[in-house]
Amino acid sequence: MSTALEALLADVTHLGAECIPLEAAAGRVLAEAVTAQLDVPPFDNSAMDGYALRASDAGKWLPISQRIAAGSPAVPLEEGCCARIFTGGEIPKGADCVVMQERVEASGERALIPADIPVGDNVRRQGRDVCRGDLLLAAGECLEAAALGHLAGQGVTHVSVRRRPRIALLSTGDEIIDPGTPLKPGQLYNSNRPMLKRLLENFGAEVVQRVSVPDDYAQTVRLLTQAASDADVVVSTGGVSVGEEDHVKAALESLGQLDMWKLAIRPGKPLALGRLPREDGSEARFVGLPGNPVSGFVGAWLFLRPLMGALLGCPALNALPTLTASANFTTQTGPRQHYMRVALRFSEAGIIADAFEDQNSGVLSSCINADALAVIDPHQQVEKGALVRCLWLQR
């Protein structure tokens, strides 16, 4: 597995950048580090509705000298006075604390302040979250909700992001047809295409081609060549095994370079990794997934996700998060490393992994509610209660 990943990621360079509006940047990967231009918050402000005062004046009746709403400027606080203030309101110069309104007795233009209010109480200091000049976000950060809010809080309207990897998604086999066409004897609907398209989009890519490849060597060569001209990565399903109608591997070897073929994993043994040349001398990466849908699902998480991470320069995609769980199943592996679909339960006793009963590579229903892949090494006997390493399926 590690050798295959090394071959897949060898010499991968980051894609170019593009500047887009922040409102369109959700899910994109930051191409350049962003430095804070503003303090956040930009001034000391109140954490709640209440009264701003000098802590030394607490414990007595104080005149209310001003009213400060959020967004309104404050004037310096007069000696021996307090200010009515609301959440987000600017702390007036001279005040050093805020007491919540529920603790104050107000009468007309005066307020009875309780004693022993500490300095700094309920005050959000300028720059508490971010100071001007700080690193706001590093290159490679995926722009999800909090990161987008962080940028907006600096007044950012446009941001430099990595271009999405362009993917050509090829489905091989005369027996595979698209939904909407009546099935003939021996035919199957294409479940791999929509599944992989969604996974690739979740990994930050853009599927620019969806091509059906017949069981014909010359046609396979032509369509692989065409796919490589328009895409950064060519992904195929099926056609990489040893059958007489499996032409993808042979076509890849005739056109470009086969880096890896057949891995000691289950599911997904007949997987091919390589490169396809373009007319300009550059290369498109090639990932040939098995045709069985579970093998394609698992292969996408194990290989396509880190490849997208390398192209996007996004460290969060490089490796799946690892959890240790207690197996609520038994299994015994042969000579291949097994990636079992499991659902996770989080309890006071720890994390429990429930394996789907039918782990066959054609049973796509086992992937619908799978939270993780339990990694079982070759020639292992796993009993209930044994600790197993699980790869958590996140983006």
Side-chain angles (χ1 to χ4, degrees):
M1 175 67 185
S2 60
T3 302
L5 273 177
E6 288 176 8
L8 176 65
L9 303 180
D11 306 321
V12 172
T13 57
H14 299 164
L15 297 175
E18 57 185 352
C19 187
I20 64 173
L22 182 66
E23 64 184 16
R28 301 295 294 272
V29 174
L30 200 59
E32 301 173 357
V34 178
T35 300
Q37 302 300 308
L38 301 171
D39 291 335
V40 179
F43 47 81
D44 292 353
N45 69 87
S46 178
M48 59 185 57
D49 296 343
Y51 295 82
L53 65 146
R54 294 173 177 84
S56 58
D57 287 333
K60 54 189 175 183
W61 286 93
L62 298 176
I64 302 172
S65 62
Q66 61 179 300
R67 182 180 183 276
I68 308 168
S72 299
V75 299
L77 187 66
E78 299 175 16
E79 293 282 345
C81 293
C82 67
R84 182 72 168 108
I85 195 167
F86 298 90
T87 303
E90 181 182 8
I91 302 295
K93 185 176 180 180
D96 56 21
C97 64
V98 173
V99 59
M100 67 178 66
Q101 62 186 15
E102 292 83 356
R103 299 187 61 196
V104 175
E105 180 184 344
S107 177
E109 296 301 314
R110 298 193 310 153
L112 177 58
I113 308 297
D116 301 323
I117 306 299
V119 172
D121 202 28
N122 299 316
V123 175
R124 293 186 291 219
R125 295 295 185 191
Q126 179 176 345
R128 178 175 180 173
D129 186 13
V130 177
C131 290
R132 182 178 180 179
D134 284 352
L135 175 66
L136 191 73
L137 292 172
E141 183 78 32
C142 185
L143 298 178
E144 297 298 348
L148 291 168
H150 218 30
L151 290 167
Q154 291 287 312
V156 171
T157 60
H158 288 73
V159 65
S160 177
V161 297
R162 291 287 173 199
R163 176 176 64 76
R164 293 185 188 275
R166 295 188 300 264
I167 310 297
L169 190 53
L170 278 58
S171 304
T172 71
D174 292 337
E175 78 281 11
I176 305 299
I177 65 170
D178 290 329
T181 304
L183 283 173
K184 296 178 181 179
Q187 291 184 327
L188 299 169
Y189 283 128
N190 191 343
S191 58
N192 278 316
R193 180 176 288 166
M195 176 185 71
L196 291 174
K197 180 177 183 292
R198 180 58 179 160
L199 283 172
L200 285 160
E201 289 171 346
N202 281 343
F203 301 155
E206 176 187 10
V207 176
V208 296
Q209 291 187 46
R210 286 170 285 178
V211 181
S212 295
V213 182
D215 288 328
D216 178 86
Y217 175 77
Q219 285 279 70
T220 302
V221 169
R222 181 181 68 81
L223 292 171
L224 279 176
T225 302
Q226 178 181 311
S229 67
D230 297 328
D232 302 298
V233 180
V234 177
V235 178
S236 74
T237 55
V240 291
S241 192
V242 293
E244 291 182 6
E245 299 300 332
D246 292 329
H247 301 296
V248 173
K249 173 178 173 287
L252 172 65
E253 289 179 306
S254 70
L255 292 171
Q257 177 178 328
L258 178 67
D259 294 323
M260 187 74 62
W261 182 54
K262 284 190 177 181
L263 304 181
I265 62 174
R266 179 185 178 193
K269 178 182 177 181
L271 183 142
L273 306 175
R275 310 168 194 221
L276 289 163
R278 300 191 186 97
E279 290 184 357
D280 63 3
S282 61
E283 294 177 323
R285 298 285 163 155
F286 174 83
V287 179
L289 298 172
N292 283 324
V294 175
S295 298
F297 179 84
V298 172
W301 284 100
L302 297 182
F303 296 100
L304 294 180
R305 183 180 185 273
L307 178 56
M308 297 307 108
L311 289 168
L312 290 166
C314 181
L317 293 175
N318 290 348
L320 286 165
T322 300
L323 301 172
T324 299
S326 176
N328 190 33
F329 58 87
T330 62
T331 192
Q332 184 169 357
T333 57
R336 291 186 283 166
Q337 191 169 57
H338 196 173
Y339 293 86
M340 299 180 66
R341 282 80 70 205
V342 298
L344 300 178
R345 287 184 285 135
F346 296 83
S347 69
E348 292 183 0
I351 305 172
I352 300 169
D354 296 311
F356 292 90
E357 184 175 353
D358 192 343
Q359 293 281 326
N360 184 274
S361 61
V363 182
L364 186 57
S365 57
S366 66
C367 300
I368 294 174
N369 295 311
D371 300 309
L373 301 173
V375 184
I376 314 298
D377 290 332
H379 306 294
Q380 294 292 311
Q381 175 74 42
V382 176
E383 301 293 344
K384 281 190 176 183
L387 295 179
V388 293
R389 181 169 65 96
C390 296
L391 302 179
W392 199 1
L393 302 180
Q394 290 189 331
R395 184 171 167 174

